[in-house]
């Protein structure tokens, strides 16, 4: 399961704090999420698009709006034990 949202920081990407361009571990849309957490959507140049999604490990990452975009783990989720 995932949730797709636009960041509230600002829409023109001028405030990139915490969203630096990453060139490794860019996941294509539809691949199985390797680790639960918050993912940044980056364009083909590695620039943050301003969109983020939460995704749970074992589920596919959400689709993107344009070709060449991919997901990068921004913040990993911490699970506190399993429910019984």
């Amino acid at each position: 399961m995932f949730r797709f949202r636009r960041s509230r920081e600002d829409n023109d990407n001028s405030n990139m704090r915490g969203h630096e361009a990453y060139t490794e571990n860019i996941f294509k849309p539809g691949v199985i999420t390797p680790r639960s957490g918050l993912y940044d959507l980056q364009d083909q140049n590695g620039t943050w698009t301003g969109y983020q999604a939460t995704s749970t490990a074992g589920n596919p990452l959400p689709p993107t709006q344009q070709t060449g975009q991919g997901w990068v783990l921004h913040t990993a989720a911490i699970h506190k034990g399993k429910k019984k």
Side-chain angles (χ1 to χ4, degrees), residues 9-31:
E9 291 176 358
D10 56 37
N11 296 335
D12 65 351
N13 293 341
S14 61
N15 183 2
M16 297 278 296
R17 247 177 317 145
H19 302 282
E20 294 80 14
Y22 301 98
T23 55
E24 52 188 59
N25 295 330
I26 297 177
F27 301 101
K28 293 182 180 181
V31 301

Side-chain angles (χ1 to χ4, degrees), residues 15-53:
N15 183 2
M16 297 278 296
R17 247 177 317 145
H19 302 282
E20 294 80 14
Y22 301 98
T23 55
E24 52 188 59
N25 295 330
I26 297 177
F27 301 101
K28 293 182 180 181
V31 301
I32 300 301
T33 304
R35 188 166 183 187
S36 297
L38 180 64
Y39 285 80
D40 291 336
L41 181 60
Q42 293 188 349
D43 65 15
Q44 57 273 20
N45 299 321
T47 305
W48 181 53
T49 62
Y51 287 96
Q52 295 178 316

